[in-house]
Amino acid sequence: MQLNTLLSHVGYVRIRGSARTEVTGITCDSREVKPGDLFVCIPGCHRDGHEFAGEALDRGAAALVMEEGNRAAVRMEKTWKDGTLVLTASSRRAFSPLAAAFYGYPLRSMVSVAVTGTKGKTTTAYMLREILEKAGHKTGLIGTNGAFVGERRLELSHTTPEAHELQRVLREMKDSGCTHVVMEVSSQGIKMERVGGLRFTCGVFTNLSPDHIGPGEHESFEDYLYQKSRLFQSCETGFFNRDDPWAGEVTARAACPLVSFGRDRGDYRAEDMALYKGDHLLGCGYRLTGKARGEIFLPLPGEYNVKNSLAAIAVSHSLGVPVETAAAALREVRVPGRMEVAAGDRRLWVIVDYAHNEDSMENLLKTLKAYEPRRLLCVFGCGGNRSRLRRYGMGRAAGKWADLSILTSDNSRYEPLSAIIEDIEEGFRETDGEYVIIPDRREAIAYAVRHGKLGDIIAVVGKGHEEYQETEGRRIRFSDREEVERAIKTYR
């Protein structure tokens, strides 16, 4: 493919060299460069891709995209006389359109749903995929748990992957026969222009609460909110949670028609919600009213899963899927690591969940308390090299709602585990909550299962679907679900 074909829909300042240069691949990671690739130099949070332009050329890059005025770009323009150099005002903004063009704009020929929000993205996306598949549409899924093309799972670098990785996956989905795609769109994915220039059939906003604020993420809550709101400027129809206190702010800049959902208000509503507690299951049901009517049952606990299901129903209904089909799909939905019943009977239930901040921890524990367990036990830690406020908050929430907490490791990364646990303890000191400290996560899970009594609910929190623990730059194989199952076999 010639470079000028890729540049036809991209704003650039000038080209030095031949616009007819043949390009056989595209990337922003110099380690991935193969002979003939276009290398796009993107400034990052920790390193600037311009620094690796020389490495990309050594690996055989056919052309470079750099930002005008960048020191490395000025130096490259002076010294690299034989190659093709494209200078842009923002290489990050140029990258997504370049990648989309290289892979033939796959999203344009699929029905697409983008889901954003602090919580509920993964669950809502899974629900939507289940409904669309039940309706006979082959549907791809992109998000925190990876990308799914049929039964095949692909690892992803981020919840919303970099533009070239995203477009490659979308192309693969299209070529495999997918007519629909559902994807989680994170605020970072929007801010970093990974979905820049894309237009979605439907955009969904689940909720908003302070998170991802700090170095390398968002400088303020205002920026976090603004990035979420940008989704409604790039979709044909927007769907939003009317119950969320920030809904008005998020929808204020919308450039599309809006559809709402909520417990008691909105175009799609849930009435007469009831909890269900049975063998190997904590669930809930409700009566759907508003623009569609029906009886809905979820094998997932909690009001926030009711709202996630309302979002999925609202979107699928607008796409022509009957409520009966959606209800049948939702009765079977399972989301790895999201309020997942890893083991349970009428004597003891063990839940695995990804909650990793104060708000999600509090919602999780309040939801489980509503099922009236004899005791609620909570096993959790916090990630290293992340906001310390998150640790205080999770400790505070656990101390307030759990009857006993077991503080343990999570992904400590490059931080001492003892310092992380001390921060969690600070949050506990604001409550009367009881806790014990068991640094080894395997032992902590085993302790909770071993000491669980008839009627207890145990929540193993923080890692959810993850199958590793990260310490000192090493990832060690670890699955909360597998450890729960091992402990149940050993001690129950």
Side-chain angles (χ1 to χ4, degrees), residues 69-300:
N70 183 285
R71 287 183 184 178
V74 172
R75 188 165 57 250
M76 185 64 69
E77 193 168 16
K78 289 178 179 177
T79 59
W80 189 43
K81 301 297 184 181
D82 301 327
T84 300
L85 178 64
V86 181
L87 294 168
T88 68
S90 170
S91 53
R92 181 165 285 285
R93 286 201 185 95
F95 189 34
S96 180
L98 284 167
F102 181 82
Y103 286 101
Y105 302 102
L107 196 69
R108 291 183 180 178
S109 54
M110 291 190 284
V111 175
S112 56
V113 183
V115 184
T116 199
T118 304
K119 302 182 298 294
K121 293 189 295 296
T122 300
T123 300
T124 302
Y126 265 79
M127 288 177 169
L128 269 164
R129 184 192 186 215
E130 288 291 328
I131 293 171
L132 292 170
E133 290 273 355
K134 180 73 78 173
H137 305 298
K138 186 171 182 179
T139 305
L141 177 66
I142 299 172
T144 306
N145 290 359
F148 295 85
V149 185
E151 297 301 316
R152 199 153 53 87
R153 179 177 179 270
L154 308 174
E155 290 284 349
L156 297 178
S157 57
H158 302 88
T159 295
T160 307
E162 277 291 1
H164 67 303
E165 185 181 8
L166 173 60
Q167 293 298 330
R168 182 173 66 243
V169 170
L170 290 171
R171 181 76 261 167
E172 190 166 341
M173 289 177 173
K174 177 62 183 174
D175 291 346
S176 71
C178 289
T179 57
H180 293 60
V181 60
V182 180
M183 63 179 291
E184 299 177 47
V185 177
S186 66
S187 56
Q188 279 293 96
I190 296 172
K191 181 175 182 175
M192 306 302 278
E193 300 292 340
R194 294 172 192 157
V195 293
L198 301 186
R199 187 156 184 83
F200 301 99
T201 310
C202 303
V204 181
F205 165 70
T206 59
N207 52 63
L208 189 71
S209 58
D211 197 16
H212 302 293
I213 298 167
E217 296 187 279
H218 298 281
E219 59 268 22
S220 65
F221 179 73
E222 289 72 24
D223 178 60
Y224 182 49
L225 186 154
Y226 169 68
Q227 299 301 336
K228 293 291 188 189
S229 74
R230 288 179 61 195
L231 179 63
F232 288 152
Q233 297 169 18
S234 57
C235 57
E236 295 172 16
T237 306
F239 298 78
F240 71 98
N241 176 6
R242 191 168 178 179
D243 294 339
D244 190 83
W246 298 101
E249 296 274 357
V250 171
T251 58
R253 306 174 184 86
C256 62
L258 296 172
V259 178
S260 61
F261 57 89
R263 270 296 303 275
D264 304 310
R265 303 180 303 158
D267 298 310
Y268 294 82
R269 302 183 294 277
E271 297 184 4
D272 302 328
M273 179 182 145
L275 304 181
Y276 178 83
K277 185 179 179 182
D279 290 347
H280 308 287
L281 178 66
L282 296 175
C284 58
Y286 63 91
R287 184 163 54 88
L288 175 68
T289 62
K291 285 190 172 183
R293 296 181 176 275
E295 297 295 325
I296 308 298
F297 176 79
L298 303 173
L300 297 168

